[in-house]
Amino acid sequence: MTTTPSSATTVWDATTVESRFARRMTAVLSQGSNDVPHDIAERLRVSREGALEKARWAAKSRLRVEVGTAGGTQAVLRGGPGWGWRFAALLPAIAVVAGLFLVQLQQADDQAHAVADIDAALLSDDLPPAAYADDGFAEFLSRPER
C-alpha cells in the first residue's frame, strides 16, 4: 500500500490486493475443510494440483527467458517478445492495407481502359465527334429505319 504525495488517498498495488484476497479465501476455505467428506476432499485436492500446474505453465510461458552467448564466453539473458514477433503481429494489418491499395489501383486501371475504349471507338468511327453532340443526330438515331 502506498500513498500519493499530492493527496492522502491510498493507492493499492494489484499484487497487494490479490494477495490479501488469496489469504482471506484460504482462511475461509481452511475453516470448512474439516467438514468435507474424504472423497470430495480428494477431488478438490486433484483439482487444486491441476490448477497449480496450469498456473505454473502459464507463468513459465509468460516469463520465458532465453539464454544465449555473446562472444562465446558471456551468458546473456533475453526475455519477452522480440521485434520479429511484433512485426509478425502487424503483418495482417499490412496485408489488408496492401490489398486495399492494389484494389484501388486495379479499379483506376479498369476505369482508364474503359475511357480509352470509348475514345478509340469515337475516333475510329466514320462520323466526326461533333455529330454526337448535335441535337438532330439524337433524333435521327431514334427514328426507325425505312
Side-chain angles (χ1 to χ4, degrees), residues 9 21 24-25 47 59 68 75 91 93 96-97 101 105 112 117 119 145:
T9 60
F21 177 73
R24 286 182 184 168
M25 289 300 296
S47 296
L91 276 178
V96 167
V97 169
F101 181 71
L105 285 178
D117 289 342
D119 286 347
E145 288 204 28

Side-chain angles (χ1 to χ4, degrees), residues 21-105:
F21 177 73
R23 280 191 297 248
R24 286 182 184 168
M25 289 300 296
T26 304
V28 169
L29 292 172
S30 295
Q31 288 174 356
S33 66
N34 296 334
D35 301 334
V36 177
H38 179 70
D39 62 331
I40 294 176
E42 281 300 309
R43 284 191 284 168
L44 288 172
R45 183 186 62 78
V46 170
S47 296
R48 183 178 65 241
E49 289 174 359
L52 287 173
E53 184 62 33
K54 286 181 183 178
R56 282 187 206 111
W57 184 81
K60 284 180 186 177
S61 66
R62 245 185 297 139
L63 299 175
R64 181 179 35 131
V65 176
E66 300 173 11
V67 177
T69 58
T73 58
Q74 189 177 23
V76 178
L77 294 176
R78 299 178 300 237
W83 64 270
W85 286 107
R86 291 182 183 138
F87 179 72
L90 290 176
L91 276 178
I94 292 170
V96 167
V97 169
L100 290 173
F101 181 71
L102 291 174
V103 166
Q104 180 196 14
L105 285 178

Side-chain angles (χ1 to χ4, degrees), residues 3-27:
T3 57
T4 59
S6 62
S7 67
T9 60
T10 303
V11 179
W12 290 92
D13 188 12
T15 56
T16 306
V17 173
E18 288 175 0
S19 63
R20 291 182 115 200
F21 177 73
R23 280 191 297 248
R24 286 182 184 168
M25 289 300 296
T26 304

Side-chain angles (χ1 to χ4, degrees), residues 101-138:
F101 181 71
L102 291 174
V103 166
Q104 180 196 14
L105 285 178
Q106 182 64 36
Q107 286 181 344
D109 191 45
D110 289 347
Q111 189 177 18
H113 281 293
V115 169
D117 289 342
I118 292 171
D119 286 347
L122 280 175
L123 293 174
S124 65
D125 198 10
D126 292 337
L127 291 174
Y132 291 103
D134 187 17
D135 292 333
F137 181 70

